[in-house]
Amino acid sequence: MNIESLHDYCLSLPLVTEDTPFGEDHVVFRVCDKIFGCISLDRPDYFTVKCDPEYAIDLRDRYSEVEPAWHWNKKHWNQLNLRGSLPDALIKSLVRHSYLQVVKKLPARIRREHPALLEVKE
């Protein structure tokens, strides 16, 4: 999956915004102001996603293209090598998983106010 397709996919999810809080060379994707993904324009072959800790370890064991994320909490964040052999469907699934990890921790009031958040499925 290339960076443009990944960018478009992230922005297609409900209530997603993008910004550059770490400088213009890092684009983060947020849902309700909470980060669920990041790409460095200096290292565009890698995409950082949030992950359930046990699932994160399982993914790292199964795929050489999935590693603990550089400069992120390695318990909860993986980096995906987009130039490896990860299928696009798996990358999209991991983006949705990351998005849902953030959504499930949002206050119930926000989830009720924005039912589209709950329409995304892993």
Side-chain angles (χ1 to χ4, degrees):
M1 176 171 271
N2 65 42
I3 189 173
E4 293 86 10
S5 298
L6 183 58
H7 175 267
D8 292 346
Y9 185 71
C10 288
L11 290 178
S12 75
L13 297 170
L15 301 172
V16 171
T17 59
E18 66 178 310
D19 64 287
T20 56
F22 308 126
E24 292 189 19
D25 58 340
H26 289 82
V27 177
V28 300
F29 297 92
R30 299 176 188 257
V31 56
C32 297
D33 293 326
K34 304 292 183 189
I35 296 173
F36 73 91
C38 179
I39 194 151
S40 169
L41 301 178
D42 291 339
R43 297 178 61 202
D45 295 343
Y46 293 92
F47 188 69
T48 302
V49 291
K50 192 165 191 172
C51 197
D52 170 79
E54 290 181 20
Y55 188 40
I57 292 169
D58 180 50
L59 289 165
R60 293 171 195 167
D61 289 344
R62 290 190 342 206
Y63 302 100
S64 61
E65 298 89 350
V66 180
E67 303 171 315
W70 188 55
H71 286 304
W72 294 76
N73 180 330
K74 286 152 184 46
K75 180 177 179 182
H76 296 282
W77 294 88
N78 278 339
Q79 68 183 15
L80 313 176
N81 183 341
L82 302 176
R83 296 285 183 228
S85 61
L86 291 176
D88 288 358
L90 177 60
I91 294 170
K92 288 179 179 181
S93 172
L94 295 174
V95 168
R96 289 190 308 274
H97 174 78
S98 180
Y99 175 93
L100 292 170
Q101 289 293 298
V102 172
V103 166
K104 78 179 184 181
K105 295 201 176 190
L106 293 172
R109 176 188 55 80
I110 291 176
R111 291 192 310 266
R112 280 193 307 272
E113 289 173 1
H114 303 286
L117 292 170
L118 303 175
E119 294 174 3
V120 175
K121 305 293 181 212
E122 279 192 60

